[in-house]
Amino acid sequence: MKCIQDLTINIGGNLMSFHRPWIMGILNVTSDSFYAGCRVESDEEVRLRVRAIRDEGADCIDVGACSSRPGSEPIGMELEEARLLNAISIIRDEWPEAVVSVDTYRASVARSCIEAGANIINDISGGILDPEMFDTVADLQVPYILTHMRGNTATMSSFTQYEDVVAEVIKELAYRIRDLRERGVCDIIVDPGFGFAKDVEQNYSLIESLDEFCKLGLPVLVGISRKSMIWRPLGITPADALPGTIALNSFALLHGASIIRVHDVAQAVQARDTLLPLIHFYH
């Protein structure tokens, strides 16, 4: 198993290391993502959010235009693409050197965004929802975030039947990693898919076993920021879930996460930097 210090990805010909785990700041250019605090729609709102993510110390920015909350209905492809391309243009204007991840499961949208200046494809469906995605990633030769999911955003809550959630999620990811490797995809980041076809208890089983995902030998992304696995057991709302988010992200960092995807960049950067000596000690 590679330790976190050895893991790298190729961004436009530059080999980038996870010796210091990355903080990925979330930019949602949509009106219906589950956490209202990070929704932006107007160009000026997007611009201000990009500046905040940059100034608070994020290592990369993840832009999405189609809500993936459980039960959500997807927006049309043309609208998603238009929103993303506009956001990428603003990001490149405000932060030319940013590493930009585009959150989409649609292969044609992903291609347009990479051609417009994005660097990474973040596919919540792990190639399930668009059979063209893996071939598109192989053709573009860009890093790909492979997320575990069953069903789609409208139905995934009904696909939570596992005998051993950790073993089955790893097995399903391993099959998809093999398919990507056979197509010549080199740079793969693994996301266990917290909240995607998992209930609260299953989500905690996954994070407790994060070390097992690291044995895949690939960077692991953890996206749990303000999710229901935090606020539902506590009887609070996403708006009140920052302390719980920091607690679980800290656990993830100590157990091998290479990237944590967050709404609250400054707080995540401070937690990461505080833990950095311990991260290097454990890994």
Side-chain angles (χ1 to χ4, degrees):
M1 180 180 73
K2 289 183 178 180
C3 67
I4 192 171
Q5 288 92 330
D6 300 325
L7 297 172
T8 58
I9 56 170
N10 188 322
I11 302 286
N14 295 314
L15 204 59
M16 306 189 75
S17 169
F18 295 103
H19 181 76
R20 185 185 71 169
W22 287 12
I23 306 301
M24 172 183 279
I26 298 170
L27 172 63
N28 282 325
V29 286
T30 176
S31 61
D32 61 345
S33 65
F34 78 91
Y35 175 49
C38 276
R39 299 174 195 158
V40 293
E41 293 186 79
S42 72
D43 285 3
E44 184 59 23
E45 288 175 328
V46 173
R47 198 172 295 278
L48 291 173
R49 176 64 181 158
V50 171
R51 290 175 186 171
I53 291 172
R54 177 198 63 197
D55 294 346
E56 290 175 11
D59 299 281
C60 58
I61 183 168
D62 185 56
V63 56
C66 184
S67 176
S68 58
R69 60 182 171 78
S72 63
E73 292 292 335
I75 62 171
M77 186 181 301
E78 291 183 1
L79 178 57
E80 181 193 19
E81 184 173 302
R83 286 176 174 177
L84 289 172
L85 293 177
N86 183 60
I88 290 167
S89 176
I90 294 171
I91 293 168
R92 286 292 169 228
D93 183 52
E94 288 290 333
W95 190 7
E97 71 279 14
V99 174
V100 180
S101 166
V102 59
D103 183 351
T104 183
Y105 55 80
R106 291 163 166 158
S108 63
V109 174
R111 181 181 290 277
S112 295
C113 291
I114 295 297
E115 291 173 350
N119 307 105
I120 299 171
I121 297 170
N122 180 11
D123 176 9
I124 62 159
S125 82
I128 289 176
L129 296 181
D130 190 334
E132 300 298 320
M133 180 61 86
F134 281 10
D135 287 334
T136 298
V137 175
D139 182 51
L140 294 169
Q141 283 297 305
V142 294
Y144 177 68
I145 300 172
L146 172 70
T147 305
H148 179 273
M149 187 174 78
R150 293 176 174 178
N152 57 43
T153 55
T155 65
M156 60 186 174
S157 296
S158 64
F159 288 93
T160 59
Q161 295 78 33
Y162 302 88
E163 291 186 12
D164 183 333
V165 66
V166 175
E168 290 176 51
V169 170
I170 290 175
K171 183 178 180 180
E172 290 173 26
L173 286 171
Y175 281 135
R176 296 176 204 171
I177 292 166
R178 181 197 61 191
D179 289 347
L180 287 163
R181 293 295 196 208
E182 289 176 351
R183 288 169 166 82
V185 177
C186 298
D187 294 291
I188 304 167
I189 297 163
V190 171
D191 181 346
F194 296 96
F196 296 113
K198 291 97 179 172
D199 61 26
V200 169
E201 184 178 351
Q202 290 162 349
N203 285 320
Y204 278 95
S205 294
L206 292 178
I207 200 162
E208 287 168 5
S209 302
L210 201 63
D211 310 74
E212 297 300 312
F213 288 88
C214 296
K215 291 178 182 177
L216 291 167
L218 299 170
V220 175
L221 182 149
V222 170
I224 53 176
S225 182
R226 296 182 183 266
K227 285 189 174 179
S228 61
M229 64 180 288
I230 299 168
W231 55 262
R232 185 165 286 133
L234 298 175
I236 57 176
T237 68
D240 300 316
L242 178 56
T245 296
I246 294 297
L248 287 187
N249 278 336
S250 297
F251 181 93
L253 288 167
L254 290 172
H255 288 80
S258 293
I259 306 173
I260 54 172
R261 181 179 180 274
V262 300
H263 299 94
D264 308 279
V265 172
Q267 293 87 342
V269 167
Q270 184 177 116
R272 186 270 315 273
D273 291 351
T274 302
L275 289 171
L276 205 53
L278 295 175
I279 293 170
H280 291 159
F281 175 79
Y282 283 115
H283 297 280

